[in-house]
Amino acid sequence: MVIVMRKDADQASVDRVLSEVENLGFTPHVSAGESRTLIGAIGPAPTEELREHFAGLGGVETVVRTTKPFKLASREFKHDDSFVMIGGVKTGNGRFVVAAGPCGVESREQTLSAADIVKSGGGQVLRGGAYKPRTSPYAFQGLGEEGLAILAEARAATGMPIVTEVTAPELVEKVAGTADMLQVGARNTQNFALLAAVGRSGKPVLFKRGMSTSITEFLQAAEYILSQGNPNVVLCERGIRTFETATRFTLDVGAVPVLKELSHLPVWVDPSHAAGKRSLVTSLALAGAAAGADGIIVEVHPKPEEAKSDAAQQLDAGEFGALMSRLGPVVEALGKSL
Ligand code: PEP
Ligand code: MN
């Protein structure tokens, strides 16, 4: 249930509603918007009588019974688009962001050179995995702590904030010590202990949809982060598993408007992992932007053919520059700024 306070409601009436919410066994979540305060009451489905009780309290305009299994993520809870700050970079609510960089941090030279390419191409956020969740235990697992130090150096050199993946709850503190944004990957979408841990960290989270996760399951999983009091969640569509094998995954472009309809959270698209092949990345990136995404995360490598992971899908400097010049007009046509 979401309790919408009147625009002129004072703090005393907000406090009264909050204590009543707690007294009746719900957990309150306050969202103090620019014009009014919303109070989410998390708990069992409320009866009509209870709804009326809250609607009758001083300063309350209306009480919305959220029918969705996700609450804090829902448009019913918050009508206006949210934005998330990644360091000094804003995404959502009209601001489109390009995060780019190598799949994995492989060396100092490779990462600094990728960071240069991203920066000079017009990207705003640097990506790069220090901890890689690989399907095979024999594949390159990332440089770990050494990778984090290289990312910190790349940030110092370029001024770009860093997004990097965290693969286990016990690594959250360490990765959050360097990252401006924590990525939770598709293989961890329903790793609820990890979601709660990144929620507690308070850091912005780039939350990827699992390859077999329905949109409702995805938003319920996002709720694990939000319900820890961390509102800084960016949802990311990165392709789902279908019968089709021509692409690595099937980019669910339709998920973008669906997520925007159901949720106030910013939505990004990852064209690289959906495509699996560099020749398809730009088209999927443009499709994601045209579908209403608030950003993309794309893999860029100085020498893609030498990459230790995802070699086939990483763009080189020229390809990234070409993507950026085609992306600009699409983003503008959607009334957003890049
Ligand atoms: C990645 O970003 O390199 C990655 C592993 O992505 P995903 O979790 O979407 O597969
Ligand atoms: Mn990758």
Side-chain angles (χ1 to χ4, degrees), residues 45-263:
T47 59
E48 185 52 29
E49 197 185 345
L50 203 59
R51 196 195 69 80
E52 278 172 17
H53 170 69
F54 280 107
L57 296 177
V60 173
E61 181 165 294
T62 180
V63 178
V64 184
R65 271 167 67 185
T66 49
T67 47
K68 307 281 187 317
F70 44 87
K71 310 225 179 297
L72 303 174
S74 76
R75 277 262 179 224
E76 289 164 339
F77 178 68
K78 185 166 180 283
H79 179 264
D80 298 333
D81 277 0
S82 289
F83 64 86
V84 168
M85 295 301 298
I86 311 157
V89 175
K90 177 180 171 180
T91 182
N93 199 11
R95 293 302 288 270
F96 192 95
V97 163
V98 175
C103 176
V105 174
E106 298 166 1
S107 70
R108 188 174 169 271
E109 192 195 5
Q110 168 251 13
T111 301
L112 293 177
S113 150
D116 268 348
I117 295 170
V118 173
K119 172 107 180 170
S120 51
Q124 300 115 304
V125 174
L126 179 66
R127 69 149 283 151
Y131 296 87
K132 296 302 302 174
R134 304 306 302 284
T135 302
S136 163
Y138 308 118
F140 174 62
Q141 303 285 312
L143 298 181
E145 257 177 274
E146 189 191 339
L148 292 177
I150 293 171
L151 286 170
E153 193 180 338
R155 172 177 47 207
T158 61
M160 284 186 294
I162 302 292
V163 55
T164 192
E165 181 159 355
V166 57
T167 50
E170 60 273 20
L171 289 172
V172 169
E173 211 179 308
K174 185 179 292 180
V175 178
T178 297
D180 299 284
M181 182 182 224
L182 301 171
Q183 177 176 323
V184 172
R187 288 156 192 81
N188 275 313
T189 305
Q190 290 182 308
N191 181 342
F192 301 123
L194 178 61
L195 301 181
V198 298
R200 285 191 297 274
S201 79
K203 282 268 170 183
V205 180
L206 178 61
F207 186 38
K208 295 228 186 157
R209 178 184 181 187
M211 57 193 83
S212 309
T213 311
S214 72
I215 289 174
T216 304
E217 287 165 342
F218 183 33
L219 288 169
Q220 284 182 272
E223 205 73 14
Y224 271 88
I225 306 171
L226 298 166
S227 62
Q228 294 295 328
N230 184 352
N232 305 306
V233 176
V234 173
L235 304 169
C236 183
E237 163 60 36
R238 48 77 71 204
I240 55 174
R241 195 145 262 166
T242 68
F243 56 84
E244 184 55 74
T245 54
T247 47
R248 186 178 178 192
F249 294 94
T250 298
L251 183 68
D252 185 3
V253 180
V256 177
V258 172
L259 287 168
K260 300 295 288 183
E261 200 167 279
L262 294 174
S263 177

Side-chain angles (χ1 to χ4, degrees), residues 103 127 132 273 299 310 313:
C103 176
R127 69 149 283 151
K132 296 302 302 174
H273 291 86
E299 289 188 340
D310 289 348
Q313 71 196 28

